[in-house]
Amino acid sequence: MEQQNKSTMVVFSGDLDKAMASFIIATGAAAMGKQVTMFFTFWGLNILRKEEYVNVGKKSFMDKMFAAMMPRGPEKLGISKMNFGGLGGKMMKYTMKKKNIVSLKELIEMAQDLDVKMVACTMSMDVMGITQDELIDGLDYAGVASYLADADESKINLFI
């Protein structure tokens, strides 16, 4: 299959610094005119969770446990190194704000404005007990076959 002006990435990590890198790369590629697909799976889904609690009805015990233990949205993510119980993430966000660096929340909005295709992995959602109602608006939902089809047409494919 001929490669096109597309870039794809798997966003597996739910760490703030890795999420930032993912969205900086995605928005940079989109600004350069590339069609970008971001496929969020497992811990990466936490980036897309709504910050507020969403009552979605009856959930299994395990689904409730996952929901309680996982961070809810971009403002609650920790960093991959030196997190120190959340202090590291707060320090990073404070420093970024002081240096006028856009927040992850702003990068997500920028990605949406640049028509970056953000896809939530439905299999991972099922495993982790996450419903569409608990994720931000503007997402696509698909399985790995859909991602692989996009990746097959892409010049660049990243795993973060």
Side-chain angles (χ1 to χ4, degrees), residues 44-155:
L45 289 169
N46 290 325
I47 301 164
L48 305 176
R49 289 181 74 198
K50 291 178 180 171
E51 294 178 25
E52 70 278 355
Y53 171 77
V54 177
N55 185 358
V56 293
K58 191 170 177 79
K59 279 191 167 194
S60 71
F61 176 74
M62 290 301 283
D63 290 349
K64 288 177 186 176
M65 291 301 294
F66 269 121
M69 292 188 297
M70 294 186 306
R72 197 184 322 269
E75 298 300 317
K76 302 284 188 205
L77 302 178
I79 56 177
S80 62
K81 305 282 187 232
M82 302 186 303
N83 192 40
F84 302 119
L87 184 59
K90 288 180 176 140
M91 290 171 55
M92 186 173 181
K93 287 184 239 180
Y94 173 80
T95 301
M96 288 169 47
K97 188 173 183 176
K98 289 296 248 183
K99 296 187 179 203
N100 295 316
I101 298 170
V102 295
S103 69
L104 177 55
K105 192 172 184 176
E106 292 168 312
L107 282 169
I108 293 168
E109 292 168 4
M110 191 181 307
Q112 289 176 321
D113 291 344
L114 290 167
D115 294 324
V116 169
K117 181 178 172 184
M118 291 186 275
V119 182
C121 175
T122 51
M123 190 259 334
S124 294
M125 289 173 63
D126 191 40
V127 168
M128 300 175 89
I130 298 172
T131 66
Q132 290 184 15
D133 292 336
E134 295 172 281
L135 299 178
I136 62 173
D137 296 331
L139 303 177
D140 290 348
Y141 299 89
V144 70
S146 175
Y147 169 75
L148 290 172
D150 282 346
D152 195 39
E153 297 176 352
S154 298
K155 291 182 180 178

Side-chain angles (χ1 to χ4, degrees), residues 12-29:
F12 176 82
S13 175
D15 295 324
L16 174 63
D17 46 330
K18 293 176 183 179
M20 291 285 300
S22 298
F23 277 95
I24 289 167
I25 293 166
T27 55

